[in-house]
Amino acid sequence: MSSAGHGAFGVSLLRPSYEEMIWIEYLLTVKADASRILRLLGAGGAAKSVTQQAAYLGRNVSLHLGWLPEHVAFHAANGEAVAKELKVLKGKLGWDKAPPTFKWVSKAAGREKEYDFLYHATSSFVHFSVHELTRRIWGNKGKVTIGSGTFAGYWEEFACYWAARNFVNLMVATEIWIQDGSQEDEPTEILDIGEKLVPVPIVTREELFAWPDDH
């Protein structure tokens, strides 16, 4: 994406990749139930997609797409069964909800503050944000330019830094660097370098320095 001049859009991929990493880290702490959790989340997600789609499209359009009422009913019933199983796991594993909120999962994985930071940053980029829109306006009083390119390079750096950091964390969590089964092969050099790097922030002091004190 960077070589094609679209590196800034990598920010939109950070949230799902980061959440995947945290889920992996959490599931590794509950290995006995990991497969069951994944199965339930997959089945529950499919059931919700089917029922939400049917509710929006209506009976006629659903039939046109090949969704018979009994198909929708099957997935609706499956969704209810999944919900019951998830409630059992909630009691066993101490979740805040069934399934757990990602806030809870990030805290259980020891990454609550980091996730809050990335959650806000990626939300500002991909959702409507007055702050992000005003960042497109740059210049001096009486003469400004407006365009998405103003902070494109900045967001590209943000995406590249956090994507690289997430990748290293994923390597550590899954132990994919191990070739011979020995824990001695841990890539400590890469981890040390990553820890020394200063995280690319969400906002810079310079861009807000000229704002009036009352705004």
Side-chain angles (χ1 to χ4, degrees):
M1 292 176 73
S2 294
S3 61
H6 303 299
F9 292 107
V11 178
S12 62
L13 304 176
L14 285 180
R15 177 92 66 86
S17 64
Y18 188 75
E19 291 183 352
E20 179 183 34
M21 181 199 75
I22 292 182
W23 262 110
I24 289 172
E25 289 184 334
Y26 170 67
L27 290 172
L28 288 171
T29 68
V30 289
K31 289 182 179 180
D33 296 296
S35 294
R36 185 184 177 196
I37 292 171
L38 287 173
R39 177 182 63 80
L40 292 173
L41 292 179
K48 188 171 183 178
S49 292
V50 172
T51 53
Q52 291 284 353
Q53 176 177 272
Y56 173 71
L57 296 178
R59 180 185 177 89
N60 291 337
V61 177
S62 294
L63 284 171
H64 180 72
L65 294 175
W67 284 99
L68 298 175
E70 52 265 36
H71 294 159
V72 177
F74 169 81
H75 285 283
N78 195 40
E80 292 176 0
V82 165
K84 290 180 181 179
E85 285 195 61
L86 286 172
K87 284 183 178 179
V88 173
L89 282 172
K90 174 181 178 293
K92 178 181 179 181
L93 301 175
W95 294 345
D96 58 340
K97 298 178 74 174
T101 62
F102 200 78
K103 179 81 170 177
W104 188 94
V105 177
S106 65
K107 186 174 182 179
R111 295 189 181 276
E112 184 179 20
K113 288 184 178 179
E114 189 176 75
Y115 177 70
D116 285 345
F117 173 80
L118 279 178
Y119 182 90
H120 176 75
T122 52
S123 292
S124 296
F125 183 84
V126 301
H127 296 151
F128 171 73
S129 167
V130 174
H131 172 219
E132 280 304 311
L133 289 178
T134 57
R135 290 178 114 187
R136 274 107 172 122
I137 307 169
W138 204 255
N140 298 303
K141 186 176 181 180
K143 186 178 181 181
V144 298
T145 58
I146 303 174
S148 297
T150 306
F151 274 85
Y154 187 81
W155 277 119
E156 181 174 342
E157 287 186 19
F158 187 92
C160 289
Y161 169 83
W162 284 103
R165 186 165 182 141
N166 291 349
F167 180 69
V168 172
N169 286 333
L170 184 62
M171 286 179 63
V172 173
T174 57
E175 301 181 348
I176 61 175
W177 72 87
I178 297 177
Q179 301 297 322
D180 59 359
S182 172
Q183 291 284 348
E184 296 177 0
D185 295 327
E186 183 175 343
T188 53
E189 249 183 77
I190 297 177
L191 287 173
D192 289 342
I193 292 172
E195 288 301 318
K196 290 175 182 177
L197 291 174
V198 178
V200 178
I202 300 172
V203 63
T204 64
R205 178 180 178 275
E206 290 75 13
E207 69 184 90
L208 300 179
F209 185 73
W211 283 32
D213 294 336
D214 59 344
H215 289 78

